[in-house]
């Protein structure tokens, strides 16, 4: 049985600051494209954070008011190792009552409106 993680200092832990900064500075093209659509409370007035850490994991995007993580998946997420890692990570994050919505990188470019609509569908109150 999994124990619920301690609610101590788990958000943006100082020891991950350098890695979070690196990921922001060298984001994937899909992350950069989605960030343009999410930043500045553009989506239904919700604030999103980019490369926000929870425990030892770094989320691509996080909306604190909705407790919603948005993850973009590239090729490595579809390998056996990537799938196992994502399952472990999702289990930890879900125990903190954070919901996760996932998209393949290509969806951001081919169907950006659908991506935003799906993210909005996770909001508690539209």
């Amino acid at each position: 049985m999994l124990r619920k993680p301690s609610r101590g200092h788990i958000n943006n832990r100082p020891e991950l600051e350098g890695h979070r900064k690196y990921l922001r500075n060298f984001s994937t093209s899909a992350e950069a494209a989605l960030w343009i659509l999410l930043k500045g409370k553009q989506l239904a007035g919700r604030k999103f954070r980019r490369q926000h850490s929870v425990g030892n994991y770094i989320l691509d995007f996080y909306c604190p008011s909705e407790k919603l993580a948005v993850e973009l998946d590239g090729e490595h997420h579809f390998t056996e190792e990537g799938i196992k890692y994502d399952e472990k990570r999702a289990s930890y994050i879900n125990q903190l009552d954070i919901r996760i919505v996932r998209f393949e990188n290509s969806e951001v470019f081919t169907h950006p409106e659908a991506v935003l609509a799906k993210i909005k569908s996770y909001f508690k109150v539209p």
Side-chain angles (χ1 to χ4, degrees):
M1 180 169 165
L2 293 171
R3 287 184 334 154
K4 194 163 188 163
S6 161
R7 292 212 184 246
H9 190 246
I10 60 168
N11 289 295
N12 286 334
R13 293 170 52 193
E15 61 269 22
L16 295 176
E17 183 177 2
H19 192 53
R20 289 192 312 270
K21 190 176 210 176
Y22 174 84
L23 291 172
R24 279 192 299 273
N25 290 334
F26 297 97
S27 60
T28 66
S29 56
E31 289 171 349
L34 185 56
W35 181 239
I36 289 169
L37 302 173
L38 294 177
K39 71 180 179 178
K41 298 184 179 182
Q42 293 181 82
L43 187 60
R46 301 315 198 276
K47 178 177 179 61
F48 281 84
R49 296 179 180 159
R50 190 166 57 133
Q51 304 303 337
H52 177 86
S53 66
V54 176
N56 290 323
Y57 301 106
I58 299 176
L59 309 174
D60 292 335
F61 302 98
Y62 180 62
C63 179
S65 64
E66 297 293 339
K67 294 191 82 174
L68 178 64
V70 178
E71 291 294 310
L72 298 181
D73 295 342
E75 288 181 24
H76 71 278
H77 290 273
F78 302 105
T79 64
E80 186 177 334
E81 181 181 319
I83 291 167
K84 286 179 182 177
Y85 177 82
D86 284 345
E87 287 172 353
K88 179 181 174 187
R89 182 178 188 266
S91 176
Y92 175 84
I93 292 166
N94 291 153
Q95 288 180 58
L96 297 169
D97 301 320
I98 297 172
R99 295 166 296 149
I100 302 170
V101 59
R102 304 189 84 88
F103 301 96
E104 289 187 36
N105 285 342
S106 62
E107 291 178 85
V108 173
F109 302 113
T110 58
H111 304 292
E113 303 85 12
V115 168
L116 294 177
K118 182 152 186 188
I119 293 169
K120 275 180 75 170
S121 76
Y122 279 79
F123 293 171
K124 296 173 193 123
V125 177

